[in-house]
Amino acid sequence: MDTVRVLNQTYKELPWRKRIRYIATALAFVLAVGAFFFLEVHFSNRAILLGRQAQRLQAEIQNNRLEIIILQGQLAEQTSLKHLRKVAKRLGYRPLTLQDVHYAPVPAWALAEDSPRPTLQAPVVPTPLPRKYTISLAEWLSEEVLYPRATR
Amino acid sequence: MTNMAADFREDTVPITQATWRYIVVAGVLFALAAVVVARMALLAFGPEGKLILQSENAYYLKPSPKPRGLIYDRSGHLLAGDREVYELDINLNEVAPTDIPRMAQEIAAVLSLDTKVLRKRLLEAKSEGVPSVMLSKEVTKSQKAALERRADEWVYKDKNGKEVKPLSALNFVLTTARLYPEGDLASNVLGFVPPLAERGYGGVEQFYDALLRGGVEMQKHSYAPWVVFPTEGSQPASLYLTIDRNLQRAAEEEAAAAVQKTKAEFAVIIVADPYTGAILAMATSPHPPLGDYDKLMAYIKKWNAFNLAIEKPYEPGSVFKTITMAIALDIGAVKPDTEFDDTGIYTVSGARIYNWNRGAWGKQTMVGCLAYSLNTCLAWVAHEKIPQNTFYRYLNAFGFGDLTGIDLGGEAPGGAMTPTTRDSYGRPLWSPADQASQGFGQAIMVTPVQMVAAISAIANGGYLVTPHVLAYESMGGRRFAYHPEGRGQVLSPSTTATLRKMLTESLPVETKTALVPGYSVAGKTGTAEIALPDVGYSTNLTNASFAGWFPADKPRYVIYVWLSKPKTSPWASVVAAPVFAEMVKRTALIENVPPDDVRKRFEGVSQVTGKK
C-alpha cells in the first residue's frame, strides 16, 4: 500500500513534461502491441474471407461445369440429325443426290489436297542429342579447358 | 528516494480536480485499449487461434457429381453426353409407419414403380430400423418437380397439432446419367453404361472407361476456411471419334434397308480411311438399343455380341481371294497373266472343290479367276503356288486369328485351322485341303474389321494399319491426338499396285451392280456357305460380303459390307454389291468427292498451276 502511495505521490510531484513523456511511452507501447495484433487478426480475417470466396467460386465452377454439360446435351438434341431432318422437311428441303451436284471450273482454283497421310515407312528413330546439350559442367571443364584435345 | 523527492520539488504543479478527471478518463481508455489488445492477442495465439490453425489439416467429405466424359464425332457433334438426374433417398427416421402405404403410392405413381413392391420394401426397412433407403438413381428433373409438388400438397396435423409433411423425408442428390442426343446412332461403337453403374461396357465406353469414368465423387472440403483442395486433376476426358455422324447415319440407313430388302439376319457396313485405319462409320442392323436397358440386354443375349462388326467372326468366302492373290503375287508365284486351266473341279487330299456354279471355265488368267470368282483357281493358287509355311506366315502378318487392336471393347480374334492345330489328344486337325479351302475364304473365321484392315493394306500400298475410332482426347483444356502404331508392311507396293489394277479390271466383269456411274471402284464379292452342325455346308444359307474401295486409282475410302443369311438371294453380287454401290454414292456426296473426270481435270489444273 505504501508503495502505491509513494508511486502516487511521486507521480503527483513529477513535472508535467516528464508525466507526459511517461504517458506517451505507455500509449505508444499499447499502440504498438495493438497494431501488431490488429495486423495479425486483420490478415487472418482477410485469409478467411478470401478462402471462403475461393471455396464458393470452386463450388460455382463445379456447378457451372455441370450446367454447361447439361446444356450442351440439350443443345446437341436441338442440333441432332433427327431434329434437323425434321426441320429441313418442314421447310420443304429434300435430300440431295449425286445427280444434283454440279461442278463448275473456277479459274486458278486448285483441288484441295487430301488430308495428310501418315508415312508408310517404319517410325523414325529419334537421333541422340548433340553432346554439347548433355555434357556436364565438370566434363566440359575437363575436356575443353583442363585437358583439351590436341586436334579438333 | 531523497534525490527523487528533491527533483519532484523542482517545478511541482498542484493537481487540480480537472486534472484528476483527465487522469480517470485516460485510465479508462487505457484499460479499454488493453482489453481490446488482450482479446486480439487471445484470438491470434490463444486456444481459439490454435483451434483454427489445427483445422487446417481437418477436412470432411461431401458427395459431388462428376459427369462422365463426353463423346463427340469427328466434327464435334455430341454422340454421348450427360443429363441431369437425381439420386432419390428416403430418410425413414422422419416417416411414421402409418404414412408408408400412401407414401409408396405417391412415389410409385411418379416414378412408375410397383406400388406393392415399394410399400413392402419400405415397411420392411422401417421395421428393421434401416435409417435410409435409396429409391432410384435416375430420377429426372420433371419427376423431382412432381414429387416436390406432391410433398407440398400432402400436409396434415398430428396429435400434438404439429404440421407434418411426410414426403419432405425425400432427399434428392444431383448426379448425371448418359444422354444420347443422336438416339441410337453409332450405339454399337459407343457402348453403354448400365443404370446404377459407373463403369462402361462395350465399345468406346468400355475401352476408354478409365478416361471417361465419372459418377459421384467424394470431394474433400477443409474445415479451415482458407484451405481449398484442388479438383482439376480428377476431371474425366472428352473423346473425339473418327466417326462421322452423317456417314454413320447413311451406313445405318443402308444396313437397315439391306436387311429389309434381302430379309437378311443382320447387316454390317464399315467405312474406313485405308491410310490411317480411321473408322468413319461402323453400322450394324439391328443395332443395340441404348435407350432401354432391358431391350439392350435382350439384344446382347440374342446375338451373343454387342458389336457385330468386331465380335462376330465368320467365313468370308470369296472376298478372301484378294488376300490369297496378294500373297501369290507378293512372292512372285503368279502374275496377272498366269493361266489356270479350270476343269470345274479341284481335288486336294481327297476333298473336292467346285466352283460357285459347279461349272468349268476353261483357261483363265488370274484376272479371270478373280472376275469369275473361281474357287478351283484360288484353291490351286493357295495349295500349289504358295508354300505352306509362307501362306500361314502371311495370314499371321495380316493379323488373321489375332486382334486388330481396334480401340473398342470386346473384339474377337477369329481363327483358322493351321498346320499346328491339334485336337485335345494332340492329333493334327489340319490337312492340305484346309489350305486350299482357305484360299477362297472357307475354313477360316475373320471379323469384318480384320477384313477392313487387310483390304486397307491392299489399297494403301501394303501397310497394315490399326483400325481405330479415337481421333483425339481432350483433357484439362489440352488435346492429345491418337495415332495408333501401324502393324508393318505386309505387301510390297508393287504387289498392291498390280492387285489394285486387277480388281479394278475384274469388278465390272464380276458384278455390274457394284459400279457407280462417274466413279471408279474396285473390290470383290464374297459368298460363303455357312457350316451347320452335323450337316456340313448349307447351300441356301450364306454370308454375302463385299470389300472394295473408291476412287479405284486413288483409294480414299474402304467400304465393307456383310449380310448374314440373306433370303432373297444367296449371292453377294445380287445382295451385297448394290449396298456397296449405294454407300459409295452416299459417301461421295457427304465427303464431297467429285466424279473421276472432274477430279482428274482439277488435278491436271493444279499440276499446271504448280499448286499440287
Side-chain angles (χ1 to χ4, degrees):
Chain A
M1 221 32 206
D2 279 351
T3 316
V4 173
R5 207 176 58 240
V6 168
L7 276 173
N8 192 27
Q9 184 59 36
T10 310
Y11 181 76
K12 277 178 191 170
E13 291 179 10
L14 269 177
W16 265 110
R17 279 176 303 175
K18 284 196 174 180
R19 284 191 207 174
I20 287 168
R21 205 184 302 151
Y22 282 127
I23 291 167
T25 309
L27 278 174
F29 175 74
V30 171
L31 277 175
V33 173
F36 173 76
F37 290 125
F38 167 78
L39 286 175
E40 167 69 21
V41 171
H42 175 73
F43 286 134
S44 303
N45 178 46
R46 290 290 300 158
I48 287 167
L49 286 176
L50 290 174
R52 280 277 179 251
Q53 208 174 340
Q55 286 173 346
R56 245 195 326 272
L57 285 173
Q58 199 182 40
E60 218 167 285
I61 287 168
Q62 277 189 321
N63 287 344
N64 286 345
R65 193 174 283 154
L66 184 65
E67 205 173 322
I68 287 168
I69 287 171
I70 289 162
L71 288 172
Q72 221 174 338
Q74 288 171 6
L75 179 68
E77 279 181 322
Q78 292 301 309
T79 54
S80 67
L81 275 182
K82 202 176 167 185
H83 186 78
L84 290 181
R85 274 187 181 191
K86 269 186 205 165
V87 173
K89 204 174 171 186
R90 202 173 57 230
L91 293 172
Y93 290 102
R94 65 171 177 81
L96 206 65
T97 64
L98 271 183
Q99 285 70 43
D100 298 322
V101 184
H102 297 283
Y103 291 87
V106 177
W109 181 84
L111 191 71
E113 282 293 308
D114 287 341
S115 55
R117 301 295 189 206
T119 172
L120 297 181
Q121 279 77 44
V124 179
V125 180
T127 49
L129 277 173
R131 183 149 168 77
K132 62 180 174 181
Y133 292 110
T134 57
I135 192 168
S136 74
L137 188 62
E139 284 169 335
W140 178 79
L141 270 173
S142 159
E143 289 176 17
E144 302 290 323
V145 181
L146 299 176
Y147 311 105
R149 279 175 290 175
T151 54
R152 285 180 186 272
Chain B
M1 194 70 191
T2 320
N3 289 342
M4 204 186 205
D7 286 347
F8 291 164
R9 278 190 295 273
E10 271 180 16
D11 54 348
T12 308
V13 179
I15 296 171
T16 62
Q17 210 169 349
T19 315
W20 268 111
R21 283 182 195 144
Y22 284 124
I23 289 169
V24 169
V25 169
V28 169
L29 288 175
F30 186 83
L32 277 172
V35 168
V36 169
V37 169
R39 182 66 189 138
M40 285 200 289
L42 267 175
L43 276 175
F45 302 112
E48 285 161 328
K50 276 183 186 165
L51 200 69
I52 291 172
L53 285 174
Q54 278 168 2
S55 72
E56 225 169 37
N57 299 325
Y59 63 86
Y60 61 96
L61 295 169
K62 196 177 158 191
S64 168
K66 187 170 128 188
R68 199 170 166 81
L70 309 177
I71 305 174
Y72 299 89
D73 83 338
R74 69 170 172 173
S75 308
H77 296 114
L78 193 66
L79 298 177
D82 290 293
R83 64 194 160 92
E84 180 183 350
V85 291
Y86 295 85
E87 185 184 305
L88 176 60
D89 307 299
I90 185 163
N91 184 357
L92 287 177
N93 290 334
E94 293 178 14
V95 180
T98 47
D99 287 336
I100 285 179
R102 182 171 168 191
M103 183 174 269
Q105 197 182 343
E106 298 274 2
I107 296 167
V110 176
L111 300 185
S112 308
L113 301 174
D114 189 318
T115 312
K116 282 182 190 169
V117 174
L118 182 61
R119 187 172 55 214
K120 194 180 166 201
R121 193 174 153 213
L122 292 179
L123 284 169
E124 277 176 6
K126 182 75 182 169
S127 64
E128 286 166 13
V130 177
S132 177
V133 172
M134 197 191 70
L135 298 174
S136 172
K137 245 194 165 180
E138 284 199 17
V139 174
T140 62
K141 209 175 169 183
S142 58
Q143 287 173 327
K144 177 179 176 262
L147 283 170
E148 281 171 343
R149 208 168 39 245
R150 291 299 304 129
D152 288 337
E153 285 165 6
W154 183 16
V155 187
Y156 69 88
K157 285 190 176 170
D158 66 5
K159 283 180 273 181
N160 307 322
K162 197 183 154 195
E163 203 172 71
V164 178
K165 278 185 171 182
L167 284 175
S168 63
L170 296 178
N171 180 33
F172 296 93
V173 180
L174 176 63
T175 178
T176 55
R178 267 295 187 223
L179 168 82
Y180 302 101
E182 301 285 349
D184 285 338
L185 186 80
S187 58
N188 55 313
V189 175
L190 294 177
F192 64 100
V193 184
L196 307 175
E198 287 177 0
R199 208 191 135 185
Y201 293 87
V204 171
E205 296 274 23
Q206 181 179 324
F207 198 90
Y208 292 108
D209 185 63
L211 289 174
L212 293 167
R213 187 71 73 95
V216 176
E217 193 180 51
M218 297 308 281
Q219 219 167 66
K220 272 182 179 178
H221 291 266
S222 175
Y223 282 109
W226 60 86
V227 177
V228 181
F229 289 112
T231 56
E232 287 300 315
S234 60
Q235 290 305 313
S238 289
L239 305 183
Y240 288 77
L241 305 185
T242 56
I243 298 287
D244 179 273
R245 73 168 180 175
N246 293 307
L247 270 179
Q248 179 70 25
R249 172 65 75 203
E252 287 186 5
E253 282 172 356
E254 290 305 327
V259 167
Q260 199 182 10
K261 198 173 170 186
T262 65
K263 311 253 183 304
E265 189 183 35
F266 62 81
V268 172
I269 298 177
I270 299 176
V271 183
D273 181 333
Y275 286 87
T276 61
I279 304 289
L280 305 174
M282 181 182 272
T284 67
S285 180
H287 52 251
L290 294 180
D292 188 322
Y293 187 67
D294 293 332
K295 281 186 185 167
L296 178 63
M297 288 300 106
Y299 176 92
I300 294 171
K301 201 175 168 189
K302 180 181 176 185
W303 299 108
N304 197 25
F306 176 75
N307 187 350
L308 300 166
I310 62 166
E311 294 175 44
K312 271 256 183 263
Y314 76 109
E315 288 179 288
S318 299
V319 284
F320 203 80
K321 286 173 184 163
T322 52
I323 308 298
T324 309
M325 190 59 78
I327 299 169
L329 289 168
D330 208 46
I331 61 171
V334 296
K335 287 180 179 164
D337 55 3
T338 301
E339 283 191 345
F340 170 71
D341 193 3
D342 180 31
T343 57
I345 186 165
Y346 183 73
T347 310
V348 196
S349 308
R352 289 175 173 187
I353 291 166
Y354 299 96
N355 285 320
W356 55 276
N357 64 350
R358 301 231 162 199
W361 293 73
K363 275 195 177 172
Q364 293 291 339
T365 61
M366 290 300 110
V367 178
C369 287
L370 289 175
Y372 303 116
S373 199
L374 303 184
N375 295 343
T376 48
C377 175
L378 270 297
W380 169 74
V381 171
H383 181 237
E384 292 187 29
K385 289 290 176 183
I386 307 172
Q388 190 191 98
N389 288 344
T390 308
F391 185 73
Y392 289 103
R393 188 165 49 78
Y394 266 94
L395 291 195
N396 193 38
F398 269 109
F400 293 114
D402 206 350
L403 302 176
T404 62
I406 190 169
D407 45 353
L408 294 172
E411 189 190 3
M417 204 78 87
T418 68
T420 54
T421 311
R422 299 274 189 278
D423 67 6
S424 52
Y425 300 103
R427 291 173 300 203
L429 287 172
W430 180 88
S431 82
D434 287 319
Q435 187 177 337
S437 300
Q438 285 157 359
F440 59 94
Q442 299 271 184
I444 184 166
M445 302 290 279
V446 302
T447 59
V449 79
Q450 281 177 338
M451 284 306 295
V452 165
I455 297 296
S456 292
I458 295 169
N460 73 21
Y463 195 70
L464 191 67
V465 292
T466 302
H468 62 279
V469 297
L470 180 68
Y472 55 89
E473 61 175 269
S474 168
M475 194 161 33
R478 292 178 183 193
R479 286 182 173 187
F480 303 92
Y482 178 62
H483 299 297
E485 237 175 74
R487 292 182 287 163
Q489 193 85 26
V490 286
L491 297 169
S492 70
S494 62
T495 299
T496 57
T498 308
L499 189 57
R500 281 201 301 270
K501 197 163 168 267
M502 288 168 75
L503 289 169
T504 311
E505 284 171 12
S506 64
L507 187 61
V509 181
E510 186 186 17
T511 174
K512 288 193 167 44
T513 51
L515 305 180
V516 178
Y519 292 87
S520 60
V521 294
K524 179 81 191 76
T525 60
T527 304
E529 293 169 346
I530 293 176
L532 299 172
D534 306 324
V535 177
Y537 281 100
S538 158
T539 48
N540 297 327
L541 300 177
T542 60
N543 279 312
S545 317
F546 191 97
W549 65 82
F550 87 100
D553 59 321
K554 203 174 179 184
R556 280 183 64 183
Y557 303 96
V558 161
I559 299 176
Y560 195 80
V561 178
W562 169 29
L563 301 178
S564 173
K565 300 178 187 168
K567 305 279 185 309
T568 52
S569 168
W571 304 110
S573 56
V574 179
V575 290
V579 181
F580 169 81
E582 279 307 310
M583 268 318 292
V584 169
K585 285 180 199 169
R586 297 192 69 167
T587 307
L589 199 60
I590 292 166
E591 295 285 285
N592 197 17
V593 183
D596 288 354
D597 59 337
V598 176
R599 179 168 55 87
K600 283 175 183 164
R601 191 152 26 110
F602 281 114
E603 277 174 354
V605 168
S606 55
Q607 276 171 358
V608 170
T609 55
K611 287 186 178 174
K612 192 170 182 184

